[in-house]
Amino acid sequence: MIFCRWLILLLLFGLNLVAQTITTNTDWNYHLNIRDVNHMALYNNSIYCFSDNGLFSLDLKSKNINRNNNSLELENYKVVKSYQNSEYFVLALQNGKLVIYNSEKVNKINLEGNNKEIEINSLNIYNDLLYVSSSLGLYLVSLTDGLVLENYRNVGENGDSLNILESLIIDDKIYITSSTGVYILDNKFANPLDFRSWKKLNFIFDLPFGMIANNDIVYFYSKNRIYEGENDVIYYNDEISIKKIKNLNFQLYVNYNNSKNFKDYLGTFKNSEITDINLPGKIDYIGDFINSDRGIWISGKNFSLYSLDYKEFFYPSNNLNILPDKIFSLDKDIYATKANYISYNSQNEGWENISFDKFKNITSVAKFNKDLYFSSSDVGILNYDKSLIIDESYENSLLVTQSIESINISDIVSAQNKLWILNYGSLRPLLSFDINNDWQFYDLQNSSPLYPTKFKFKDEFIWMLLDKNKDGGLIVYDMLTQETFHINENNNLLNSNYVNDIAIDKNENIWIASDDGLIYFSSYNPRLITNYIIPNDGSQYLFRGIRINTIEDDYAGNIWLGTDNGIFVFDNLENKIVYQFNSLNSPILSDTIKSIKFNDLGHAYINTSDGLVSLNTFLEKPYNDLNDFKAYPNPLNLKEEDRLFFSGLTDGNYIKITSLSGEKIIEIETSAGGFNWNLISEKGNKISPGIYLVFLVSQNANENLISKIFIK
């Protein structure tokens, strides 16, 4: 399983919660676009549909859909090619690895080894041999024992290395297509490692990139032509672009794109003609097509999977349908955006997807006066609930356009009964309006346009980041005194003007994430700032020179840093890195972390360059009271459960757990509204079956019994 190399991973969170909050494989979740299907395969009466970085499978009997690790257990889901026959199911991963399934076992093969990166272009099976066409030549792999037998690489003219696109074996002849031409090894006694054994086929008009056999006849195809043999062109159309030809039940099917309407079509090829198959209008991009005993299945973008016989679409529900550019948190909800698409996940229950015709390039989300607002770097502000655009022409608006064609709103925040706005690139970039639509601007003492990208509020102070490509640094505005404070390299208050993000933690520290590492101020009041502090573990400065793309704090007070080297979890009280997540020791999809956002339920949503995952830390936002407190599961079965979960706590709690006889088992201090305990006592022993008491200890040492837990 993808998590087998770290079944129980210890997160060393701060305070006395150290070694008490753990994560297991069940705490991680993928949020991948698996609806845009690139290719698919039939295996064990299920159709497997692969996207850029994820998959789902459809059981042909029950019509049930499984996703990602519930469908296949893989080390990663970047499946670039797949192939199957009656015995084998083969997957090629982007990292050069092959996974070969049959009824008896699973073989895993690494083609890349110590070589440079390899790109696998196609797979083919012939006589218990797997032929892998790749950028590093043609590999022959034994399907019975999983060994790489041969690699035909330097078989081009004069021994040139070939990027092989496809292979075809018929009558013991090996055909290969490459970026430089089509070659054939037509003598089974010749040495295939000797380039002189290969003959290059000469085509008159262009270079075919694909081939297919039907009734012992080899057909080659290029963008506009289909050849029978080397010279016989049996089909030509300069208005189409052929993508793929397959032989399904001795019938040739052609997938092509029409250059007039840029739409994909699927048709049958017979007597030198393509006869189009009638498909629903929503199918405009076809990724793949296969045949099963239930007819032809078609997959692609936006529609996932379509049965030609059933005339029915199949797709995973409650699923993200984009690869997000940005993510935002709003209370218990998470929003993911790309271009004019928005996906939102409410209370971790699944994704809903919406799109706009014109509103695009979303920069922020806010809830004001019970309405949901989105800001855009092009179109202004959208009041989603009232379906209206707020721009420079809106009543009372103080917004200005940066250019004739766009109005750039880089951030919005609901605070102090107003919706606050950053109008990027204007002379008056800090604006607000209230529930009566009364607008106000705030003088930042600037004489030229300013380019703020985001802001954070703390009491009367507004901290604003300036675009690092336009001088950068920070500006702080005092709403009470209307003063403006500049924080940058010039006044020695920053180590770098290339600031990417800021965070204000529960201890009122201001954290600055930049291209040159991490610094912080011990106060959010700019009047008290005289110098910055670099985190130091006692022996070295931490994060110096590390580009930090994003920064967030959780409800236990830990600082989460998203970098190009994964995620660092930093305990400021102990001045140490307590853990680092990367693509080798965790399910994050890439070490390039674009953004981290927590919702109030304690889930960390992590947007990487390769997709979105989430981790349930169980560190919830503190509750106002203990009315919703619970400890679960109760009763707890030691053979089935490895943790006890707490939820519904207020800010700043001291938990004491004792046996029924009064023996202290452990004491835990947390500022979060929830956490979990690994059932290990302070003495390092796993607890035994019995009844345990949970006390909430007050500041004056009074103990209030809040729960009894039955452990069996």
Side-chain angles (χ1 to χ4, degrees), residues 5 23 132 149 187 195 220 321 541 584 668 698:
R5 60 183 180 269
T23 68
V132 183
L149 304 178
N187 183 349
F195 74 90
F220 303 92
N321 67 354
Y541 290 114
L584 295 178
I668 302 169
S698 66

Side-chain angles (χ1 to χ4, degrees), residues 654-666:
Y654 199 90
I655 303 294
K656 180 180 179 181
I657 301 175
T658 74
S659 67
L660 190 60
S661 64
E663 178 189 1
K664 185 179 72 170
I665 305 301
I666 197 166

Side-chain angles (χ1 to χ4, degrees), residues 31 36 62 77 98 120 131 148 161 231 238 273 309 333 368 372 391 396 410 414 460 482 536-537 563 574 702:
H31 305 276
D36 291 341
S62 66
Y77 291 108
L98 300 172
I120 297 176
Y131 290 76
V148 177
S161 179
N231 301 314
D238 63 359
E273 291 185 354
D309 283 21
D333 302 338
F368 173 64
L372 184 65
D391 56 19
N396 298 338
S410 55
S414 178
E460 70 268 31
Q482 301 180 7
N536 191 309
D537 65 358
T563 74
E574 298 292 333
N702 291 329

Side-chain angles (χ1 to χ4, degrees), residues 43 88-89 100-107 143-146:
Y43 181 66
Y88 295 98
F89 179 34
I100 304 172
Y101 299 86
N102 67 11
S103 58
E104 298 177 355
K105 59 182 178 179
V106 178
N107 276 326
L143 289 168
T144 56
D145 55 23

Side-chain angles (χ1 to χ4, degrees), residues 308-530:
L308 196 59
D309 283 21
Y310 294 143
K311 299 189 183 306
E312 184 179 356
F313 289 95
F314 299 87
Y315 53 86
S317 59
N318 298 323
N319 203 83
L320 200 68
N321 67 354
I322 57 173
L323 177 65
D325 284 334
K326 296 181 179 180
I327 59 172
F328 310 98
S329 63
L330 189 60
D331 302 325
K332 296 180 180 180
D333 302 338
I334 294 290
Y335 293 82
T337 67
K338 182 180 181 67
N340 62 324
Y341 294 93
I342 299 174
S343 299
Y344 64 94
N345 189 334
S346 180
Q347 302 188 53
N348 309 311
E349 294 295 328
W351 294 91
E352 294 290 334
N353 301 293
I354 57 178
S355 63
F356 303 116
D357 291 333
K358 297 181 180 179
F359 198 81
K360 60 182 180 178
N361 297 332
I362 294 164
T363 58
S364 188
V365 58
K367 197 90 170 185
F368 173 64
N369 195 27
K370 298 182 180 180
D371 286 345
L372 184 65
Y373 289 80
F374 296 102
S375 61
S376 163
S377 61
D378 290 311
V379 197
I381 302 171
L382 169 68
N383 182 323
Y384 178 73
D385 293 292
K386 291 185 172 57
S387 299
L388 60 86
I389 297 291
I390 301 172
D391 56 19
E392 74 279 8
S393 61
Y394 186 73
E395 182 182 6
N396 298 338
S397 172
L398 296 177
L399 299 175
V400 297
T401 58
Q402 186 182 4
S403 65
I404 297 176
E405 298 180 352
S406 67
I407 180 168
N408 189 336
I409 306 302
S410 55
D411 202 0
I412 53 175
V413 167
S414 178
Q416 299 185 352
N417 299 316
K418 296 179 180 180
L419 185 69
W420 294 78
I421 303 164
L422 287 184
N423 192 173
Y424 179 94
S426 69
L427 279 170
R428 301 185 300 190
L430 182 61
L431 308 169
S432 71
F433 65 81
D434 61 19
I435 58 175
N436 299 315
N437 197 37
D438 290 332
W439 287 67
Q440 185 176 352
F441 77 90
Y442 304 88
D443 188 1
L444 299 181
Q445 306 298 316
N446 56 297
S447 58
S448 59
L450 289 176
Y451 301 88
T453 58
K454 63 178 67 174
F455 47 14
K456 299 281 187 179
F457 286 67
K458 182 64 177 177
D459 295 338
E460 70 268 31
F461 298 105
I462 304 176
W463 285 70
M464 289 170 277
L465 280 72
L466 299 178
D467 191 335
K468 66 181 184 180
N469 296 314
K470 296 181 180 294
D471 296 330
L474 301 167
I475 288 180
V476 186
Y477 179 74
D478 187 330
M479 291 180 281
L480 295 180
T481 66
Q482 301 180 7
E483 291 178 273
T484 299
F485 303 87
H486 293 265
I487 297 178
N488 49 50
E489 286 184 272
N490 295 335
N491 55 24
N492 296 318
L493 293 180
L494 286 182
N495 63 334
S496 171
N497 283 339
Y498 298 141
V499 178
N500 298 312
D501 203 0
I502 63 172
I504 305 175
D505 70 15
K506 65 189 309 296
N507 296 316
E508 301 180 347
N509 298 308
I510 302 290
W511 296 88
I512 315 295
S514 74
D515 284 359
D516 197 34
L518 178 70
I519 63 171
Y520 71 98
F521 305 119
S522 58
S523 173
Y524 62 87
N525 185 340
R527 296 181 182 87
L528 303 179
I529 295 174
T530 57

